[in-house]
């Protein structure tokens, strides 16, 4: 890969705190697929362009309030991680520079700059590959019931935030609608076959360990994350967003070592939603301005620490 085609998304000059993009529209082009946060455009028979908006989803609902620059920050981080971690290869990212896209998409370079990636098409493996290096979230809730997380028995006496030695692979179903469901490894084997399930586990753990060490040295704790994989020309390939604050939990290392969990991810928004009294059913409430600003600040701070970019 030409290194000059990667990393454009991290340019601070592209950021605009006063303007949020709720919907990315490319005049004359219709998306091939539209998700909660991103749209996908066809770029020939073997390639796609994935475009991230500033929308934020929580509890399977798209919130009515976007976070300015969120799409660019997350796209930039995904590009950075795939470029930086040897364990991430093979992955599907070809470029995040719109000048290298097919002509029909190059015409929209101003819109796509910083918030898009040209990727290889892949046949998705329908398993969400979750790695937990610390006990928290849904894993902590499961543990409190019977000291198990996705069928894995853990030691007694753990608390919210306890580090897990070694990290555990806890797969989930990949649902296009509704909630993804945590499953035991044996269930993943029954769905995709033993060889594929073991390869998913091996690659997920390797990527997590490399990213955890990188983040720790830069003042962040990578508590857990989720990956998706597909097959490109028959080869198991990392796809979708990688190690972003939307797909991962990041904590401040100094606060963690002092016994506190300070999030640099969308857990900050989830916590506000929980305090608001919302029942997690549509429609979700709008976010107040201070929550939007603080969420953006935390995403930017995570990017600054991980990549070394000025924020």
């Amino acid at each position: 890969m030409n290194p000059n085609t990667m990393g454009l998304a991290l340019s601070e000059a592209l950021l605009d705190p006063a303007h949020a993009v709720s919907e990315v529209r490319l005049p004359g082009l219709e998306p091939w697929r539209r998700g909660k946060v991103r749209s996908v455009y066809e770029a020939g028979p073997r390639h796609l362009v994935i475009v991230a908006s500033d929308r934020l989803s929580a509890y399977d609902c798209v919130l009515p309030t976007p976070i300015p620059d969120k799409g660019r920050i997350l796209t930039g981080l995904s590009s950075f991680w795939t470029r930086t971690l040897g364990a991430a290869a093979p992955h599907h990212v070809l470029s995040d520079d719109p000048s290298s896209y097919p002509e029909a998409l190059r015409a929209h370079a101003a819109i796509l700059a910083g918030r898009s990636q040209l990727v290889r098409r892949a046949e998705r493996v329908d398993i969400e590959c979750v790695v937990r290096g610390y006990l928290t979230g849904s894993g902590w809730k499961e543990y409190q019931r019977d000291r198990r997380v996705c069928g894995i028995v853990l030691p007694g006496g753990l608390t919210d935030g306890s580090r897990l030695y070694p990290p555990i692979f806890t797969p989930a179903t990949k649902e296009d609608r509704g909630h993804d469901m945590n499953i035991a490894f044996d269930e993943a084997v029954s769905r995709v076959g033993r060889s594929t399930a073991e390869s998913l586990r091996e690659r997920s753990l390797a990527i997590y360990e490399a990213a955890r060490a990188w983040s720790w040295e830069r003042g962040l704790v990578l508590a857990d994350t989720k990956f998706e994989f597909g097959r490109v020309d028959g080869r198991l390939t990392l796809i979708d967003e990688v190690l972003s604050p939307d797909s991962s939990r990041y904590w401040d290392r100094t606060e963690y070592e002092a016994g506190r969990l300070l999030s640099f991810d969308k857990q900050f928004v989830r916590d506000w939603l929980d305090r608001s009294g919302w029942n997690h059913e549509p429609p979700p409430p709008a976010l107040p301005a201070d929550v939007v600003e603080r969420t953006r600040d935390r995403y930017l701070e995570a990017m600054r620490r991980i990549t070394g970019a000025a924020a």
Side-chain angles (χ1 to χ4, degrees):
M1 179 183 298
N2 180 351
N4 293 326
T5 66
M6 294 290 289
L8 177 67
L10 291 173
S11 172
E12 289 289 327
L14 294 173
L15 301 182
D16 181 6
H19 179 63
V21 178
S22 294
E23 189 74 44
V24 176
R25 296 189 183 278
L26 306 182
L29 296 177
E30 286 297 321
W32 174 65
R33 184 171 294 171
R34 192 184 299 277
K36 293 176 183 174
V37 173
R38 289 171 296 172
S39 299
V40 183
Y41 292 83
E42 292 185 301
R46 295 176 57 85
H47 299 146
L48 302 168
V49 168
I50 301 175
V51 188
S53 71
D54 295 333
R55 297 192 302 272
L56 180 68
S57 70
Y59 299 115
D60 292 316
C61 291
V62 176
L63 305 184
T65 317
I67 307 296
D69 294 317
K70 172 182 168 288
R72 287 186 166 127
I73 293 168
L74 269 57
T75 299
L77 278 171
S78 283
S79 293
F80 173 84
W81 283 120
T82 53
R83 185 176 69 250
T84 302
L85 298 181
H91 56 76
H92 72 160
V93 181
L94 293 170
S95 175
D96 59 12
D97 182 354
S99 69
S100 68
Y101 296 178
E103 183 177 357
L105 289 148
R106 283 202 305 272
H108 302 284
I111 300 172
L112 296 173
R115 61 174 70 249
S116 64
Q117 292 178 322
L118 177 69
V119 304
R120 299 176 181 89
R121 286 181 185 257
E123 182 183 353
R124 191 181 73 184
V125 178
D126 286 333
I127 294 291
E128 193 105 296
C129 296
V130 180
V131 179
R132 304 174 191 270
Y134 296 77
L135 185 62
T136 194
S138 64
W140 167 238
K141 292 177 182 178
E142 286 188 42
Y143 174 84
Q144 291 176 289
R145 290 196 294 268
D146 59 4
R147 283 181 41 202
R148 296 172 185 265
V149 179
C150 292
I152 300 172
V153 179
L154 297 178
L158 300 182
T159 60
D160 188 8
S162 289
R163 186 171 175 184
L164 301 176
Y165 297 93
I168 58 175
F169 177 72
T170 59
T173 61
K174 181 63 184 173
E175 306 292 344
D176 289 324
R177 296 181 179 179
H179 297 276
D180 298 336
M181 301 296 294
N182 292 343
I183 57 176
F185 182 73
D186 285 346
E187 175 63 20
V189 169
S190 72
R191 288 173 178 245
V192 300
R194 180 162 297 278
S195 177
T196 296
E198 289 179 348
S199 294
L200 292 173
R201 178 171 62 185
E202 179 181 357
R203 286 210 56 198
S204 297
L205 289 169
I207 299 167
Y208 170 81
E209 287 281 30
R212 192 206 70 80
W214 179 281
S215 301
W216 181 263
E217 292 174 357
R218 289 155 180 81
L220 290 174
V221 177
L222 177 57
D224 55 37
T225 191
K226 60 183 179 181
F227 303 112
E228 291 187 32
F229 293 87
R231 294 199 179 275
V232 177
D233 298 328
R235 193 179 185 193
L236 195 64
T237 300
L238 181 64
I239 64 172
D240 206 65
E241 65 181 312
V242 178
L243 295 159
S244 78
D246 268 15
S247 64
S248 314
R249 280 189 178 88
Y250 287 100
W251 299 328
D252 180 83
R253 174 181 168 179
T254 300
E255 291 292 309
Y256 179 78
E257 292 177 325
R260 297 180 292 270
L261 305 182
L262 176 64
S263 297
F264 283 87
D265 52 62
K266 69 177 179 181
Q267 187 61 44
F268 178 73
V269 174
R270 291 193 198 99
D271 291 343
W272 182 87
L273 290 169
D274 290 342
R275 293 193 301 271
S276 75
W278 178 48
N279 65 359
H280 300 180
E281 295 295 331
L287 300 177
D290 67 308
V291 172
V292 171
E293 181 179 2
R294 292 169 69 188
T295 301
R296 180 182 183 274
D297 288 347
R298 292 189 183 207
Y299 276 46
L300 271 173
E301 177 64 11
M303 183 183 84
R304 182 190 67 80
R305 294 192 192 186
I306 291 166
T307 68

